[in-house]
Amino acid sequence: MPKPPQGALKPPKAVFDGIYAFAPNRETLGGTAYLIVEKFGNVLIDCPPWHEVNQEFINSCGGVRWLIITHRGAIAKVDLIQKALSCDVSIQEQEAYLLPGLNVVSFQKEQFLHEDLKVIWTPGHSPGSACLYYRHRGFSGAQPKGGILFTGRHLLPNSNGELAIIRNSKTFHWLRQINSVHLLLKEFNSEVLSYICPGGNIGFLRGQLSIDRAYERLLELDLATKS
């Protein structure tokens, strides 16, 4: 197990009850990974900095059943993570070739891991970019109202802390990325989608670890792309 670089020993922070955000990972260009702790199986979303501190934290939470990769840029030490945690790795089929020799469960358009857990293909940022939807039943007791969308780098906060589609030199297909916002709007509504946890640019949220009014912000973003 490699030693963490100096300054990387910050413990994961609680975003909500049972959901934690890891410190940005230099190997994924500052990407933020998350851990969902659930009775039906813990879920690791993207690759956190892989060292003994994070591994011990994950083990203290009961390990991991699934590692979800939201895009090719979030891949880092997946082989070591899978070996240490004995977890399944989920990735969209167009990017599965980037993980040769590993136990990978690929999908085409969507993948249900549980009735409260669904991976959705949202191409554009990369060919296999995907989002994970998690229905967090703790928001309103036994009857869920709202949920969380982990967006990887499909949707990120901009420098003003606003939800945005960010185009850069590595963007795979800009129009497909815009169309993927339309897809999410059709998939959800304001009753089932409350928060967004982006996979990068967390510093622009100025101390926050999630974006509220998620569906409303998706609508605003959709209108902005049409103007």
Side-chain angles (χ1 to χ4, degrees):
M1 172 62 63
K3 294 182 179 180
Q6 187 176 6
L9 292 174
K10 297 179 181 178
K13 295 181 179 180
V15 184
F16 300 106
D17 184 26
I19 300 177
Y20 301 90
F22 293 87
N25 189 351
R26 295 180 182 178
E27 294 188 60
T28 59
L29 301 179
T32 296
Y34 297 88
L35 176 68
I36 298 173
V37 178
E38 258 288 5
K39 293 179 181 179
F40 56 74
N42 295 348
V43 184
L44 186 60
I45 304 162
D46 292 334
C47 299
W50 195 241
H51 49 65
E52 58 187 6
V53 174
N54 282 341
Q55 183 176 341
E56 288 174 2
F57 176 81
I58 291 171
N59 287 335
S60 73
C61 293
V64 164
R65 183 174 179 182
W66 298 287
L67 167 58
I68 312 298
I69 304 295
T70 62
H71 61 99
R72 60 191 178 193
I75 295 173
K77 294 187 171 64
V78 177
D79 54 341
L80 298 181
I81 294 173
Q82 186 174 61
K83 182 178 180 180
L85 301 176
S86 299
C87 58
D88 289 329
V89 177
S90 171
I91 190 170
Q92 206 275 336
E93 62 182 12
Q94 294 183 75
E95 296 180 359
Y97 75 94
L98 297 169
L99 300 173
L102 298 184
N103 181 21
V104 173
V105 181
S106 62
F107 64 96
Q108 184 180 23
K109 291 186 177 181
E110 60 183 25
Q111 182 180 46
F112 281 92
L113 302 176
H114 183 269
E115 63 178 345
D116 292 335
L117 202 65
K118 179 181 180 180
V119 191
I120 305 166
W121 180 40
T122 51
H125 169 75
S126 72
S129 178
C131 295
L132 175 72
Y133 174 73
Y134 171 53
R135 184 168 58 173
H136 194 304
R137 294 181 179 269
F139 287 149
S140 58
Q143 296 299 320
K145 182 179 181 181
I148 306 168
L149 190 66
F150 296 85
T151 58
R153 292 192 182 267
H154 169 49
L155 301 174
L156 295 170
N158 61 20
S159 58
N160 295 319
E162 300 165 340
L163 187 66
I165 314 174
I166 297 178
R167 187 176 189 176
N168 57 44
S169 60
K170 295 183 178 180
T171 298
F172 164 65
H173 199 292
W174 181 240
L175 291 180
R176 288 189 185 182
Q177 192 166 357
I178 291 174
N179 288 337
S180 290
V181 176
H182 306 329
L183 171 69
L184 293 175
L185 282 170
K186 292 179 180 179
E187 180 79 20
F188 303 111
N189 58 54
S190 59
E191 293 297 310
V192 300
L193 181 58
S194 300
Y195 296 94
I196 285 173
C197 287
N201 291 9
I202 296 298
F204 290 149
L205 296 181
R206 295 166 178 80
Q208 300 298 313
L209 295 173
S210 65
I211 299 172
D212 63 2
R213 298 187 296 109
Y215 192 77
E216 181 181 337
R217 294 179 193 269
L218 277 178
L219 283 172
E220 293 171 354
L221 184 57
D222 183 54
L223 291 173
T225 60
K226 294 176 180 177
S227 61

